[in-house]
Amino acid sequence: AAFVLLVWPEALIGPSFQWRPTPRTHLDLVPLFGTTHDSPHVEVFIVFGFDFGPNGNHHSPVSTQSN
């Protein structure tokens, strides 16, 4: 999934990559690349997350999960 983060006058764009070592944890790598003269050339974010909740299907869209 790609997204754009705008902080005027900077504009960054890039993909995100997610690895799920277990069903409830994920490690995201998000490299962002500058698209304007004022933007940094590259910014990289690494995010580790833990999914809370009793349901075992945490990485499917909410619209497909039943109540």
Side-chain angles (χ1 to χ4, degrees):
F3 63 92
V4 177
L5 175 65
L6 294 175
V7 180
W8 191 262
E10 298 178 1
L12 303 166
I13 188 169
S16 63
F17 304 97
Q18 186 176 81
W19 175 54
R20 290 191 163 272
T22 69
R24 292 184 181 261
T25 61
H26 59 90
L27 184 66
D28 303 336
L29 175 64
V30 184
L32 298 174
F33 304 97
T35 60
T36 65
H37 179 70
D38 295 325
S39 302
H41 291 280
V42 177
E43 285 189 7
V44 178
F45 295 91
I46 298 174
V47 178
F48 178 79
F50 184 84
D51 298 330
F52 294 97
N55 191 342
N57 194 9
H58 297 284
H59 54 274
S60 65
V62 172
S63 60
T64 64
Q65 296 177 8
S66 63
N67 292 333

